Amino acid sequence: HAAVAALPGSAHPGRPLVVDLCCGCGALGLAVARRAAVDLHAADADPVATVCAAENLAGVGTVHTGDLFAALPTGLRGRVDVLVANTPYVPSGAIGSMPPEARDHEPRTALDGGRDGLDPARRVAAGAGEWLAPGGALLIETGTAQAPVLAEVFGGHGLVAHIGHDQDRDATWVEGRAAP
Ligand SMILES: C[S@@+](CC[C@H](N)C(=O)[O-])C[C@H]1O[C@@H](n2cnc3c(N)ncnc32)[C@H](O)[C@@H]1O
């Protein structure tokens, strides 16, 4: 919902360009494409995930495999209106105390966010400026306690950040806007 809300005012009002990084099975991008006419690209480092995403996004978007931005066609640089990322955000030391259904059935690469859980999100925030269109938005899901730290990271990369929270879904994210 937050990604769809970020679409108006984008540099490509007719058909905004949306990228779902760390897309897993493609759920986030699909949710956006169901609600708005967008040009969708999704990417993940895990080839098992991208096979699944390609099935889920058939006829809806294009799926790429590779490390964060390196997976994307270079022609998207400077053109992305909304960049969403559900990066892994569990601190390495907390994975052992997760519920078994997550710990035992998710690959570690889908969970492990490094020491404070924000390493992949930091990399996305650092790279986003190169890929966002003027006025483009970056949205990264995060833990509630991590959000203020990530908002500062966004600010450090020139993004005007605010924290969003959806009580019904118990979801928190940081949204940042590039300069228009
Ligand atoms: C929390 S899961 C996202 C799940 C996704 N939202 C879904 O609905 O399936 C994090 C994802 O990040 C991917 N990932 C981890 N490190 C990555 C990297 N360096 N580059 C791209 N994807 C990465 C994992 O493979 C995993 O699919």
Side-chain angles (χ1 to χ4, degrees), residues 16-81:
L17 176 58
V18 174
V19 169
D20 177 4
L21 269 195
C22 297
C23 69
C25 64
L28 259 177
L30 185 59
V32 175
R34 282 251 171 97
R35 290 169 173 82
V38 296
D39 183 6
L40 174 67
H41 287 258
D44 198 284
D46 179 351
V48 175
T50 50
V51 166
C52 179
E55 274 178 33
N56 290 333
L57 297 177
V60 176
T62 312
V63 178
H64 312 276
T65 305
D67 181 53
L68 298 184
F69 296 101
L72 300 175
T74 53
L76 302 188
R77 238 172 244 195
R79 294 185 44 223
V80 180
D81 295 300

Short mmCIF file of all heavy atoms in Angstrom, two decimals, residues 16-81:
data_model
loop_
_atom_site.label_atom_id
_atom_site.label_comp_id
_atom_site.label_asym_id
_atom_site.label_seq_id
_atom_site.Cartn_x
_atom_site.Cartn_y
_atom_site.Cartn_z
N PRO A 16 4.54 4.34 -14.26
CA PRO A 16 5.73 4.46 -13.41
C PRO A 16 6.57 3.18 -13.44
O PRO A 16 6.04 2.08 -13.57
CB PRO A 16 5.15 4.69 -12.02
CG PRO A 16 3.74 5.09 -12.22
CD PRO A 16 3.30 4.51 -13.52
N LEU A 17 7.87 3.37 -13.28
CA LEU A 17 8.81 2.24 -13.24
C LEU A 17 9.03 1.83 -11.79
O LEU A 17 9.47 2.64 -10.96
CB LEU A 17 10.13 2.66 -13.89
CG LEU A 17 11.27 1.66 -13.88
CD1 LEU A 17 10.89 0.35 -14.56
CD2 LEU A 17 12.49 2.25 -14.58
N VAL A 18 8.68 0.59 -11.48
CA VAL A 18 8.79 0.07 -10.11
C VAL A 18 9.79 -1.07 -10.09
O VAL A 18 9.76 -1.95 -10.97
CB VAL A 18 7.41 -0.44 -9.62
CG1 VAL A 18 7.54 -1.10 -8.25
CG2 VAL A 18 6.41 0.72 -9.54
N VAL A 19 10.69 -1.06 -9.11
CA VAL A 19 11.64 -2.16 -8.93
C VAL A 19 11.44 -2.76 -7.55
O VAL A 19 11.37 -2.04 -6.55
CB VAL A 19 13.10 -1.66 -9.11
CG1 VAL A 19 14.09 -2.73 -8.66
CG2 VAL A 19 13.37 -1.29 -10.57
N ASP A 20 11.33 -4.08 -7.51
CA ASP A 20 11.26 -4.83 -6.25
C ASP A 20 12.58 -5.57 -6.10
O ASP A 20 12.83 -6.56 -6.79
CB ASP A 20 10.07 -5.82 -6.35
CG ASP A 20 9.92 -6.71 -5.12
OD1 ASP A 20 10.68 -6.53 -4.14
OD2 ASP A 20 9.03 -7.59 -5.13
N LEU A 21 13.44 -5.05 -5.19
CA LEU A 21 14.74 -5.68 -4.95
C LEU A 21 14.61 -6.66 -3.79
O LEU A 21 13.85 -6.42 -2.85
CB LEU A 21 15.79 -4.64 -4.55
CG LEU A 21 16.64 -3.97 -5.62
CD1 LEU A 21 17.82 -3.27 -4.94
CD2 LEU A 21 17.15 -4.92 -6.69
N CYS A 22 15.37 -7.77 -3.81
CA CYS A 22 15.22 -8.83 -2.80
C CYS A 22 13.79 -9.36 -2.87
O CYS A 22 13.12 -9.51 -1.85
CB CYS A 22 15.54 -8.33 -1.40
SG CYS A 22 17.24 -7.81 -1.19
N CYS A 23 13.35 -9.64 -4.11
CA CYS A 23 11.93 -9.90 -4.35
C CYS A 23 11.44 -11.24 -3.85
O CYS A 23 10.22 -11.46 -3.75
CB CYS A 23 11.63 -9.78 -5.85
SG CYS A 23 12.37 -11.11 -6.85
N GLY A 24 12.36 -12.18 -3.52
CA GLY A 24 11.89 -13.51 -3.12
C GLY A 24 10.97 -14.08 -4.18
O GLY A 24 11.30 -14.08 -5.38
N CYS A 25 9.78 -14.49 -3.79
CA CYS A 25 8.83 -15.08 -4.75
C CYS A 25 8.08 -14.02 -5.52
O CYS A 25 7.21 -14.34 -6.34
CB CYS A 25 7.87 -16.00 -4.02
SG CYS A 25 6.84 -15.14 -2.84
N GLY A 26 8.35 -12.73 -5.28
CA GLY A 26 7.76 -11.66 -6.10
C GLY A 26 6.51 -11.03 -5.52
O GLY A 26 5.83 -10.24 -6.19
N ALA A 27 6.22 -11.34 -4.25
CA ALA A 27 4.94 -10.92 -3.67
C ALA A 27 4.74 -9.39 -3.65
O ALA A 27 3.66 -8.90 -3.99
CB ALA A 27 4.82 -11.47 -2.25
N LEU A 28 5.81 -8.67 -3.28
CA LEU A 28 5.65 -7.20 -3.16
C LEU A 28 5.35 -6.56 -4.51
O LEU A 28 4.41 -5.78 -4.64
CB LEU A 28 6.96 -6.61 -2.62
CG LEU A 28 7.02 -6.25 -1.15
CD1 LEU A 28 8.41 -5.74 -0.81
CD2 LEU A 28 5.98 -5.20 -0.84
N GLY A 29 6.15 -6.91 -5.50
CA GLY A 29 5.95 -6.34 -6.84
C GLY A 29 4.58 -6.70 -7.38
O GLY A 29 3.91 -5.86 -7.99
N LEU A 30 4.17 -7.94 -7.14
CA LEU A 30 2.87 -8.38 -7.64
C LEU A 30 1.75 -7.57 -6.98
O LEU A 30 0.80 -7.15 -7.64
CB LEU A 30 2.68 -9.87 -7.36
CG LEU A 30 1.42 -10.53 -7.93
CD1 LEU A 30 1.38 -10.39 -9.46
CD2 LEU A 30 1.35 -12.00 -7.54
N ALA A 31 1.89 -7.33 -5.69
CA ALA A 31 0.87 -6.56 -4.96
C ALA A 31 0.75 -5.15 -5.54
O ALA A 31 -0.36 -4.62 -5.69
CB ALA A 31 1.22 -6.49 -3.47
N VAL A 32 1.89 -4.55 -5.91
CA VAL A 32 1.86 -3.20 -6.51
C VAL A 32 1.22 -3.26 -7.89
O VAL A 32 0.31 -2.47 -8.21
CB VAL A 32 3.28 -2.60 -6.61
CG1 VAL A 32 3.26 -1.27 -7.35
CG2 VAL A 32 3.88 -2.42 -5.21
N ALA A 33 1.64 -4.25 -8.70
CA ALA A 33 1.15 -4.34 -10.09
C ALA A 33 -0.34 -4.66 -10.15
O ALA A 33 -1.00 -4.35 -11.13
CB ALA A 33 1.96 -5.39 -10.85
N ARG A 34 -0.86 -5.30 -9.10
CA ARG A 34 -2.30 -5.58 -9.06
C ARG A 34 -3.10 -4.31 -8.83
O ARG A 34 -4.28 -4.24 -9.14
CB ARG A 34 -2.59 -6.53 -7.88
CG ARG A 34 -2.25 -7.96 -8.16
CD ARG A 34 -3.52 -8.77 -8.31
NE ARG A 34 -3.26 -10.11 -8.78
CZ ARG A 34 -3.15 -11.16 -7.99
NH1 ARG A 34 -3.29 -11.02 -6.68
NH2 ARG A 34 -2.93 -12.34 -8.51
N ARG A 35 -2.46 -3.31 -8.21
CA ARG A 35 -3.19 -2.09 -7.82
C ARG A 35 -2.96 -0.92 -8.76
O ARG A 35 -3.65 0.09 -8.65
CB ARG A 35 -2.80 -1.70 -6.40
CG ARG A 35 -3.32 -2.65 -5.34
CD ARG A 35 -2.69 -2.37 -3.98
NE ARG A 35 -3.31 -3.17 -2.95
CZ ARG A 35 -3.00 -4.44 -2.69
NH1 ARG A 35 -2.07 -5.05 -3.40
NH2 ARG A 35 -3.61 -5.11 -1.73
N ALA A 36 -1.93 -1.01 -9.61
CA ALA A 36 -1.60 0.14 -10.47
C ALA A 36 -0.92 -0.35 -11.74
O ALA A 36 -0.27 -1.40 -11.73
CB ALA A 36 -0.66 1.08 -9.71
N ALA A 37 -1.10 0.41 -12.82
CA ALA A 37 -0.43 0.08 -14.08
C ALA A 37 1.01 0.55 -13.98
O ALA A 37 1.27 1.76 -13.96
CB ALA A 37 -1.13 0.76 -15.23
N VAL A 38 1.94 -0.39 -13.86
CA VAL A 38 3.34 -0.03 -13.68
C VAL A 38 4.21 -0.88 -14.60
O VAL A 38 3.80 -1.95 -15.05
CB VAL A 38 3.81 -0.24 -12.22
CG1 VAL A 38 3.07 0.69 -11.28
CG2 VAL A 38 3.68 -1.69 -11.77
N ASP A 39 5.41 -0.38 -14.84
CA ASP A 39 6.43 -1.17 -15.52
C ASP A 39 7.26 -1.78 -14.38
O ASP A 39 7.94 -1.07 -13.64
CB ASP A 39 7.26 -0.20 -16.39
CG ASP A 39 8.31 -0.92 -17.20
OD1 ASP A 39 8.35 -2.16 -17.18
OD2 ASP A 39 9.11 -0.22 -17.86
N LEU A 40 7.18 -3.10 -14.21
CA LEU A 40 7.75 -3.75 -13.02
C LEU A 40 8.99 -4.59 -13.35
O LEU A 40 8.97 -5.42 -14.25
CB LEU A 40 6.68 -4.66 -12.38
CG LEU A 40 7.13 -5.52 -11.20
CD1 LEU A 40 7.48 -4.66 -9.98
CD2 LEU A 40 6.04 -6.53 -10.83
N HIS A 41 10.04 -4.36 -12.55
CA HIS A 41 11.21 -5.23 -12.58
C HIS A 41 11.44 -5.75 -11.16
O HIS A 41 11.31 -4.98 -10.19
CB HIS A 41 12.46 -4.48 -13.03
CG HIS A 41 12.45 -4.15 -14.50
ND1 HIS A 41 13.17 -4.85 -15.43
CD2 HIS A 41 11.75 -3.21 -15.18
CE1 HIS A 41 12.95 -4.35 -16.63
NE2 HIS A 41 12.09 -3.35 -16.51
N ALA A 42 11.76 -7.04 -11.04
CA ALA A 42 12.01 -7.63 -9.72
C ALA A 42 13.31 -8.40 -9.79
O ALA A 42 13.66 -8.95 -10.83
CB ALA A 42 10.85 -8.57 -9.36
N ALA A 43 14.05 -8.43 -8.68
CA ALA A 43 15.34 -9.12 -8.69
C ALA A 43 15.65 -9.72 -7.33
O ALA A 43 15.25 -9.20 -6.28
CB ALA A 43 16.45 -8.14 -9.08
N ASP A 44 16.39 -10.83 -7.36
CA ASP A 44 16.83 -11.49 -6.13
C ASP A 44 18.11 -12.24 -6.45
O ASP A 44 18.35 -12.63 -7.59
CB ASP A 44 15.75 -12.47 -5.64
CG ASP A 44 15.93 -12.86 -4.18
OD1 ASP A 44 16.83 -13.69 -3.88
OD2 ASP A 44 15.19 -12.33 -3.32
N ALA A 45 18.94 -12.45 -5.42
CA ALA A 45 20.20 -13.15 -5.62
C ALA A 45 20.00 -14.66 -5.69
O ALA A 45 20.84 -15.38 -6.23
CB ALA A 45 21.17 -12.82 -4.48
N ASP A 46 18.90 -15.15 -5.17
CA ASP A 46 18.69 -16.60 -5.04
C ASP A 46 17.94 -17.11 -6.28
O ASP A 46 16.77 -16.76 -6.50
CB ASP A 46 17.87 -16.85 -3.77
CG ASP A 46 17.57 -18.32 -3.56
OD1 ASP A 46 17.84 -19.13 -4.47
OD2 ASP A 46 17.06 -18.66 -2.48
N PRO A 47 18.61 -17.95 -7.09
CA PRO A 47 17.96 -18.40 -8.33
C PRO A 47 16.70 -19.22 -8.07
O PRO A 47 15.80 -19.24 -8.92
CB PRO A 47 19.04 -19.24 -9.02
CG PRO A 47 20.17 -19.37 -8.10
CD PRO A 47 19.99 -18.42 -6.95
N VAL A 48 16.62 -19.88 -6.94
CA VAL A 48 15.39 -20.64 -6.61
C VAL A 48 14.23 -19.65 -6.45
O VAL A 48 13.12 -19.86 -6.94
CB VAL A 48 15.58 -21.49 -5.32
CG1 VAL A 48 14.27 -22.17 -4.93
CG2 VAL A 48 16.69 -22.51 -5.51
N ALA A 49 14.53 -18.54 -5.78
CA ALA A 49 13.50 -17.51 -5.58
C ALA A 49 13.09 -16.89 -6.91
O ALA A 49 11.90 -16.65 -7.16
CB ALA A 49 14.03 -16.42 -4.64
N THR A 50 14.06 -16.64 -7.80
CA THR A 50 13.69 -15.92 -9.03
C THR A 50 12.93 -16.83 -10.01
O THR A 50 12.12 -16.33 -10.79
CB THR A 50 14.92 -15.27 -9.73
OG1 THR A 50 15.96 -16.23 -9.87
CG2 THR A 50 15.42 -14.09 -8.92
N VAL A 51 13.16 -18.15 -9.93
CA VAL A 51 12.34 -19.06 -10.75
C VAL A 51 10.88 -18.93 -10.30
O VAL A 51 9.95 -18.82 -11.10
CB VAL A 51 12.84 -20.52 -10.61
CG1 VAL A 51 11.80 -21.50 -11.16
CG2 VAL A 51 14.16 -20.70 -11.35
N CYS A 52 10.70 -18.91 -8.99
CA CYS A 52 9.36 -18.78 -8.41
C CYS A 52 8.76 -17.41 -8.76
O CYS A 52 7.60 -17.31 -9.18
CB CYS A 52 9.52 -18.96 -6.90
SG CYS A 52 8.03 -18.82 -5.99
N ALA A 53 9.57 -16.35 -8.65
CA ALA A 53 9.09 -15.00 -8.96
C ALA A 53 8.70 -14.90 -10.44
O ALA A 53 7.70 -14.27 -10.78
CB ALA A 53 10.16 -13.97 -8.62
N ALA A 54 9.48 -15.54 -11.31
CA ALA A 54 9.18 -15.47 -12.74
C ALA A 54 7.82 -16.11 -13.03
O ALA A 54 7.08 -15.63 -13.89
CB ALA A 54 10.29 -16.15 -13.55
N GLU A 55 7.50 -17.17 -12.30
CA GLU A 55 6.16 -17.78 -12.47
C GLU A 55 5.08 -16.83 -11.97
O GLU A 55 4.07 -16.60 -12.63
CB GLU A 55 6.07 -19.07 -11.66
CG GLU A 55 6.59 -20.28 -12.41
CD GLU A 55 6.52 -21.53 -11.56
OE1 GLU A 55 5.59 -21.66 -10.72
OE2 GLU A 55 7.42 -22.37 -11.72
N ASN A 56 5.31 -16.28 -10.79
CA ASN A 56 4.28 -15.41 -10.19
C ASN A 56 4.09 -14.11 -10.96
O ASN A 56 3.01 -13.52 -10.93
CB ASN A 56 4.64 -15.10 -8.73
CG ASN A 56 4.49 -16.31 -7.85
OD1 ASN A 56 3.70 -17.20 -8.13
ND2 ASN A 56 5.26 -16.36 -6.76
N LEU A 57 5.17 -13.66 -11.63
CA LEU A 57 5.10 -12.36 -12.32
C LEU A 57 4.98 -12.51 -13.83
O LEU A 57 5.15 -11.53 -14.56
CB LEU A 57 6.32 -11.51 -11.97
CG LEU A 57 6.47 -11.13 -10.49
CD1 LEU A 57 7.76 -10.35 -10.27
CD2 LEU A 57 5.28 -10.30 -10.02
N ALA A 58 4.68 -13.72 -14.30
CA ALA A 58 4.56 -13.94 -15.75
C ALA A 58 3.50 -13.00 -16.31
O ALA A 58 2.38 -12.93 -15.80
CB ALA A 58 4.19 -15.39 -16.03
N GLY A 59 3.89 -12.24 -17.32
CA GLY A 59 2.96 -11.30 -17.96
C GLY A 59 2.77 -10.01 -17.17
O GLY A 59 2.05 -9.11 -17.59
N VAL A 60 3.44 -9.92 -16.02
CA VAL A 60 3.26 -8.75 -15.14
C VAL A 60 4.55 -7.93 -15.04
O VAL A 60 4.51 -6.71 -14.98
CB VAL A 60 2.85 -9.22 -13.72
CG1 VAL A 60 2.74 -8.06 -12.75
CG2 VAL A 60 1.56 -10.01 -13.76
N GLY A 61 5.68 -8.63 -15.02
CA GLY A 61 6.95 -7.93 -14.85
C GLY A 61 8.11 -8.79 -15.30
O GLY A 61 7.94 -9.95 -15.65
N THR A 62 9.31 -8.20 -15.25
CA THR A 62 10.52 -8.90 -15.67
C THR A 62 11.35 -9.21 -14.43
O THR A 62 11.52 -8.35 -13.56
CB THR A 62 11.35 -7.98 -16.61
OG1 THR A 62 10.46 -7.44 -17.58
CG2 THR A 62 12.44 -8.75 -17.30
N VAL A 63 11.87 -10.44 -14.36
CA VAL A 63 12.61 -10.89 -13.18
C VAL A 63 14.08 -11.09 -13.54
O VAL A 63 14.40 -11.62 -14.61
CB VAL A 63 11.99 -12.20 -12.64
CG1 VAL A 63 12.77 -12.71 -11.43
CG2 VAL A 63 10.53 -11.99 -12.27
N HIS A 64 14.96 -10.63 -12.64
CA HIS A 64 16.40 -10.74 -12.86
C HIS A 64 17.04 -11.43 -11.66
O HIS A 64 16.56 -11.29 -10.54
CB HIS A 64 17.03 -9.34 -13.00
CG HIS A 64 16.29 -8.44 -13.95
ND1 HIS A 64 16.48 -8.46 -15.31
CD2 HIS A 64 15.30 -7.51 -13.73
CE1 HIS A 64 15.68 -7.57 -15.89
NE2 HIS A 64 14.95 -6.98 -14.94
N THR A 65 18.17 -12.11 -11.91
CA THR A 65 18.88 -12.80 -10.83
C THR A 65 20.24 -12.16 -10.64
O THR A 65 20.96 -11.95 -11.63
CB THR A 65 19.06 -14.29 -11.18
OG1 THR A 65 17.78 -14.85 -11.48
CG2 THR A 65 19.67 -15.06 -10.01
N GLY A 66 20.58 -11.84 -9.38
CA GLY A 66 21.90 -11.29 -9.10
C GLY A 66 21.91 -10.49 -7.82
O GLY A 66 20.88 -10.31 -7.17
N ASP A 67 23.11 -9.98 -7.49
CA ASP A 67 23.31 -9.25 -6.24
C ASP A 67 22.71 -7.83 -6.34
O ASP A 67 23.17 -7.03 -7.17
CB ASP A 67 24.81 -9.18 -5.97
CG ASP A 67 25.12 -8.46 -4.68
OD1 ASP A 67 24.56 -8.83 -3.63
OD2 ASP A 67 25.91 -7.49 -4.72
N LEU A 68 21.75 -7.55 -5.53
CA LEU A 68 21.10 -6.23 -5.46
C LEU A 68 21.03 -5.53 -6.83
O LEU A 68 20.50 -6.09 -7.77
CB LEU A 68 21.80 -5.34 -4.41
CG LEU A 68 21.75 -5.86 -2.97
CD1 LEU A 68 22.38 -4.85 -2.01
CD2 LEU A 68 20.34 -6.19 -2.50
N PHE A 69 21.57 -4.31 -6.94
CA PHE A 69 21.43 -3.52 -8.17
C PHE A 69 22.16 -4.14 -9.37
O PHE A 69 21.81 -3.87 -10.51
CB PHE A 69 21.96 -2.10 -7.95
CG PHE A 69 21.18 -1.32 -6.93
CD1 PHE A 69 21.63 -1.17 -5.63
CD2 PHE A 69 19.96 -0.74 -7.26
CE1 PHE A 69 20.92 -0.45 -4.69
CE2 PHE A 69 19.23 -0.02 -6.34
CZ PHE A 69 19.71 0.12 -5.05
N ALA A 70 23.18 -4.97 -9.09
CA ALA A 70 23.94 -5.56 -10.18
C ALA A 70 23.06 -6.45 -11.05
O ALA A 70 23.39 -6.73 -12.21
CB ALA A 70 25.12 -6.37 -9.63
N ALA A 71 21.92 -6.87 -10.51
CA ALA A 71 21.01 -7.73 -11.28
C ALA A 71 20.22 -6.94 -12.33
O ALA A 71 19.69 -7.52 -13.28
CB ALA A 71 20.03 -8.42 -10.33
N LEU A 72 20.14 -5.63 -12.15
CA LEU A 72 19.22 -4.84 -12.98
C LEU A 72 19.85 -4.42 -14.31
O LEU A 72 21.06 -4.14 -14.37
CB LEU A 72 18.81 -3.57 -12.22
CG LEU A 72 18.08 -3.78 -10.89
CD1 LEU A 72 17.84 -2.42 -10.21
CD2 LEU A 72 16.76 -4.52 -11.10
N PRO A 73 19.04 -4.31 -15.37
CA PRO A 73 19.55 -3.76 -16.63
C PRO A 73 20.03 -2.33 -16.40
O PRO A 73 19.34 -1.54 -15.73
CB PRO A 73 18.32 -3.75 -17.55
CG PRO A 73 17.28 -4.59 -16.89
CD PRO A 73 17.60 -4.64 -15.43
N THR A 74 21.19 -1.99 -16.95
CA THR A 74 21.76 -0.66 -16.68
C THR A 74 20.86 0.46 -17.21
O THR A 74 20.92 1.59 -16.72
CB THR A 74 23.17 -0.52 -17.29
OG1 THR A 74 23.07 -0.86 -18.67
CG2 THR A 74 24.16 -1.44 -16.63
N GLY A 75 20.02 0.13 -18.18
CA GLY A 75 19.11 1.14 -18.75
C GLY A 75 18.09 1.67 -17.75
O GLY A 75 17.41 2.67 -18.01
N LEU A 76 17.96 1.03 -16.61
CA LEU A 76 17.00 1.51 -15.59
C LEU A 76 17.61 2.60 -14.71
O LEU A 76 16.91 3.25 -13.93
CB LEU A 76 16.54 0.36 -14.69
CG LEU A 76 15.86 -0.85 -15.35
CD1 LEU A 76 15.29 -1.79 -14.29
CD2 LEU A 76 14.74 -0.41 -16.29
N ARG A 77 18.93 2.78 -14.83
CA ARG A 77 19.62 3.77 -13.99
C ARG A 77 19.02 5.16 -14.12
O ARG A 77 18.81 5.64 -15.24
CB ARG A 77 21.08 3.84 -14.44
CG ARG A 77 22.00 3.53 -13.31
CD ARG A 77 23.39 3.40 -13.78
NE ARG A 77 23.77 2.01 -13.53
CZ ARG A 77 24.99 1.57 -13.54
NH1 ARG A 77 25.97 2.35 -13.83
NH2 ARG A 77 25.23 0.31 -13.26
N GLY A 78 18.72 5.78 -12.98
CA GLY A 78 18.19 7.14 -12.99
C GLY A 78 16.73 7.23 -13.40
O GLY A 78 16.20 8.33 -13.57
N ARG A 79 16.05 6.06 -13.54
CA ARG A 79 14.68 6.08 -14.07
C ARG A 79 13.66 5.46 -13.12
O ARG A 79 12.46 5.43 -13.44
CB ARG A 79 14.64 5.32 -15.40
CG ARG A 79 15.44 5.98 -16.51
CD ARG A 79 15.26 5.22 -17.83
NE ARG A 79 13.85 4.88 -18.02
CZ ARG A 79 13.42 3.69 -18.47
NH1 ARG A 79 14.28 2.75 -18.77
NH2 ARG A 79 12.13 3.46 -18.62
N VAL A 80 14.09 4.93 -11.97
CA VAL A 80 13.17 4.16 -11.12
C VAL A 80 12.30 5.11 -10.28
O VAL A 80 12.81 5.92 -9.52
CB VAL A 80 13.95 3.19 -10.21
CG1 VAL A 80 13.00 2.40 -9.33
CG2 VAL A 80 14.84 2.26 -11.03
N ASP A 81 11.00 4.99 -10.44
CA ASP A 81 10.08 5.87 -9.70
C ASP A 81 9.87 5.39 -8.28
O ASP A 81 9.83 6.19 -7.34
CB ASP A 81 8.74 5.96 -10.44
CG ASP A 81 8.89 6.64 -11.79
OD1 ASP A 81 9.32 7.81 -11.81
OD2 ASP A 81 8.61 6.00 -12.82
#
